[in-house]
Amino acid sequence: MFVIFGAAGNVGRASAAALREAGRPVRAVVRDSAQAGPLARLGCEIAVADLCEPVSVARALDGAQAVQMLCPVPRSGSLPAQAMRHMIDVAASALQMNPPPRIVALSDYGAELRGGTGITELFHELESSLAPLGTRLTLLRSAEHMHNWARVMPVALATGILPSLHEPLDKRFPCVAAQDVGRLAAELLSDTFNATASADPRVVSMEGPERVSALDVARVLSDVSGHEVVARTVPREHRAAMLGRAGLSEQHVRLICDLYDAHNAGRIDVEAGVGQWRRGTTTLAQAFAALVPRVAAAMSRQ
């Protein structure tokens, strides 16, 4: 059984679909049974589990041949870092008590860094907690996901201004489509990798076919939507207020601001000379071609 945590998300859903297409048995783990419909139609077995509840996690892992683990940063609540650390502790404990032959943990570019990286620092903690699993474990570090721009698309389409935390606007940064990460994760879950030279986990890093800048993002959004959009940097001193108006807690705002400080200082990138490096095939234009109609439809319903 291939067990996919976070199966209702963009990456997990792509992994589940790829594994089912290959004829693999999949247990799709979701937090809410309302998320199960599309996964059940793929032929997945459904498990409802909460990463904060050890008993439900252990039940979901029962009989697993391979596990894809995702510990997300919660968007609700005032203490997202503490909540994610608790999920990491629960997941690491469950996997160490009953380790399957293969585990793929979804992580981030920059997760090798010990501090000062905001949200990415939490993925460093994830990697450190799972490291004792050794050669059973693959750390799949991905660049910034293209679909994250959907969060500011309504503002950009309504005002013609794309707010960017990346600066300068012409600085190129790595990004990747979530579906490419999901398909690669499915491939890594299915292989029979066995590191004989080292007891350390395998590291695989992934980004898209080309690096882009905030200027590129605005240009592609203009082309796909048919509306002129220009990129504008959100000044550092205004970012906390903007993110707070989006409903994020003070701690979550600080995590995001610290992350982009690290990005803009050039600290967040693929770890040179470590593990494998793979490119996805989905371009930013292709990703936005799928995203923009959904965003526009949601805006029309408001």
Side-chain angles (χ1 to χ4, degrees), residues 182-203:
R183 286 191 289 264
L184 177 57
E187 176 187 327
L188 297 172
L189 283 172
S190 301
D191 72 18
T192 55
F193 172 82
N194 183 22
T196 57
S198 170
D200 294 333
R202 171 174 55 166
V203 175

Side-chain angles (χ1 to χ4, degrees), residues 26 35 48-49 51 90 108 120 125 148 160 175 219 238 274 301:
V26 174
Q35 302 169 314
V48 178
L51 275 170
V90 170
D108 267 9
T120 297
E125 296 180 27
N148 289 351
C175 60
R219 175 182 52 78
H238 296 162
V274 174
R301 292 193 294 269

Side-chain angles (χ1 to χ4, degrees), residues 85-103:
R85 289 186 181 109
H86 179 60
M87 287 189 280
I88 290 169
D89 289 343
V90 170
S93 177
L95 289 168
Q96 289 166 17
M97 287 180 62
N98 186 22
R102 292 188 295 282
I103 305 160

